[in-house]
Amino acid sequence: MNSENTMITQELNTIKKGFQILLKTDEDDARPVYISGNFNNWRTQDKDFLMEHIGNNLYQYEFPNDFDYPKELFYKFTKGDWSEVEIDAHGNRTENRSTKKNSGIQKEYVARWRKNWLPFKQSFLPQVLLISDEFEIPQLNKTRKIWALLPHDYDSSTESYPVMYLQDAQNLFNEDAPYGNWEIDKKLAVMAEYKIGKIIIIAIEHAEKERIKEYNVGNTVLGKGQGKKYIRFVTETLKPFVDSNFRTKKEREFTGIGGSSMGGLISVFCGLMYPKIYGKLMIFSPSLWVVPKLIIDSDNENTDDTKIYLYAGGDESETMIEHVKTFKQNMIASEFVKDKMKINLSINMQGKHSESYWSDEFPKAIEWLFFNSK
């Protein structure tokens, strides 16, 4: 068979097989490559759209013969999550790709991939404002340093924004934090670049040596705590101040509270004690061992559409995964929740009890809690 006949045969085989996407990338690693688009609701880990690794830095995807093509195919490549999406050679976001083909081969190219939402652009960093280094806490007769992270274009905008109250501000964006930090400023910058995540973060510093006591609610294995007073401070003192001084969306569906470890535990209690105030809970690696017989009960009026993002790492402790799964089941079974709450349980079996893993989870939680209506 001559070369011309060979080429014709190959073209006929291609048409018979349907439409293929061939991807070349300069930067490759062990992470798989997925296609996300308007044909699968932009899901990032859809196994039906996992690309085949066919050579060094080379991937292909072959659409099935019965694939129902939209009028125009819009898509992007990811390494399994929007935190690991394709970027250009300079670290910039890439626009959605598109084609009207439904046969033949579409050749594509990706220069680089994000990893853990980075790199970020300085121009999208949130404004970091120190509200006060001695904000009064009348419920505890103390003062506290409290920060606000505002969207990068807050001053030039007239928008109002949802609010997330976070515990342990010392570990959220402080480059000198002894155990690392969540890098929420950098993560918010990347999210803003992608036009998601415009939110106000209120970061409340913990009480240093009295942190455990302040985040402990009632009589527990840690003794008697001051958690109820702290919760009253955040809810009855701090939130009204924030709503009066910033352009916030005040309603419960736009108000969240969260934290990790003991900060996650106190956030659970905030949600249980004030379900009419907090519609979003971001609970990372909560210290549920402190209250092994946690009673989930509340006034369930006006708690429709409450969302809880619950995260745990498999390498944190022998009981962490068991505790969060039990907590989720108890929440689902309780009269307080019934069919009203949505709970997203995220487990990283390699995850440790540390800021770097909570940092990775932060943008996923914010997006799901506030900006994902699916």
Side-chain angles (χ1 to χ4, degrees), residues 139-159:
Q139 294 83 354
L140 294 168
N141 195 26
K142 299 178 183 177
T143 62
R144 190 64 41 80
K145 187 178 287 187
I146 297 177
W147 305 80
L149 280 73
L150 307 174
H152 68 98
D153 57 353
Y154 182 88
D155 290 340
S156 60
S157 166
T158 58
E159 288 183 64

Side-chain angles (χ1 to χ4, degrees), residues 93-331:
R93 61 169 292 190
T94 59
E95 297 301 324
N96 291 339
R97 301 168 186 270
S98 67
T99 182
K100 294 182 179 180
K101 288 183 180 181
N102 56 25
S103 65
I105 296 176
Q106 176 85 4
K107 292 184 178 180
E108 299 285 14
Y109 166 75
V110 167
R112 296 173 58 192
W113 306 88
R114 287 201 187 279
K115 191 168 186 179
N116 193 18
W117 290 92
L118 302 176
F120 69 96
K121 284 187 175 180
Q122 294 278 346
S123 59
F124 286 98
L125 282 170
Q127 299 181 44
V128 179
L129 174 68
L130 177 61
I131 293 177
S132 173
D133 57 2
E134 292 187 332
F135 197 99
E136 291 189 6
I137 306 178
Q139 294 83 354
L140 294 168
N141 195 26
K142 299 178 183 177
T143 62
R144 190 64 41 80
K145 187 178 287 187
I146 297 177
W147 305 80
L149 280 73
L150 307 174
H152 68 98
D153 57 353
Y154 182 88
D155 290 340
S156 60
S157 166
T158 58
E159 288 183 64
S160 294
Y161 304 95
V163 183
M164 170 64 78
Y165 294 83
L166 290 181
Q167 323 309 324
D168 294 317
Q170 291 96 324
N171 303 325
L172 297 180
F173 54 92
N174 178 7
E175 295 291 344
D176 298 322
Y179 302 106
N181 75 87
W182 293 25
E183 298 184 310
I184 66 170
D185 52 342
K186 299 173 184 176
K187 302 304 170 63
L188 288 168
V190 178
M191 296 177 76
E193 185 182 354
Y194 281 84
K195 296 181 172 57
I196 56 174
K198 280 198 173 183
I199 187 171
I200 293 174
I201 303 291
I202 301 299
I204 311 160
E205 293 204 349
H206 60 66
E208 300 292 348
K209 293 180 180 180
E210 293 191 335
R211 173 181 180 270
I212 299 296
K213 185 177 182 180
E214 202 168 90
Y215 287 169
N216 185 27
V217 177
N219 285 304
T220 70
V221 298
L222 297 175
K224 188 175 181 180
Q226 298 178 324
K228 290 184 179 180
K229 293 180 179 180
Y230 175 81
I231 290 170
R232 284 177 48 216
F233 157 66
V234 176
T235 308
E236 299 174 5
T237 302
L238 182 58
K239 184 180 187 302
F241 174 88
V242 169
D243 287 338
S244 296
N245 288 274
F246 299 97
R247 297 195 309 273
T248 66
K249 294 182 177 180
K250 303 174 178 59
E251 299 80 7
R252 64 178 301 279
E253 59 264 37
F254 303 111
T255 305
I257 192 160
S260 62
S261 195
M262 285 297 292
L265 184 65
I266 192 71
S267 299
V268 168
F269 279 104
C270 278
L272 295 178
M273 290 175 61
Y274 290 94
K276 297 178 183 178
I277 302 296
Y278 304 105
K280 319 288 185 186
L281 306 183
M282 190 180 78
I283 312 300
F284 292 172
S285 309
S287 301
L288 294 166
W289 58 272
V290 173
V291 279
K293 295 183 179 180
L294 174 62
I295 298 175
I296 300 170
D297 190 20
S298 180
D299 175 4
N300 60 16
E301 184 182 354
N302 294 331
T303 58
D304 290 352
D305 298 325
T306 294
K307 299 177 76 174
I308 301 176
Y309 191 99
L310 183 62
Y311 164 80
D315 198 19
E316 296 194 46
S317 70
E318 293 182 0
T319 58
M320 176 60 75
I321 301 298
E322 176 188 347
H323 279 150
V324 294
K325 286 184 175 180
T326 300
F327 173 73
K328 179 184 177 182
Q329 290 304 317
N330 289 344
M331 288 291 285

Side-chain angles (χ1 to χ4, degrees), residues 50-75:
L50 173 66
M51 300 193 77
E52 181 184 1
H53 197 184
I54 60 174
N56 291 335
N57 298 18
L58 198 61
Y59 294 81
Q60 76 169 5
Y61 181 79
E62 182 181 310
F63 286 83
N65 291 330
D66 60 351
F67 183 74
D68 185 14
Y69 292 92
K71 186 175 181 180
E72 185 170 5
L73 203 69
F74 291 95
Y75 56 98

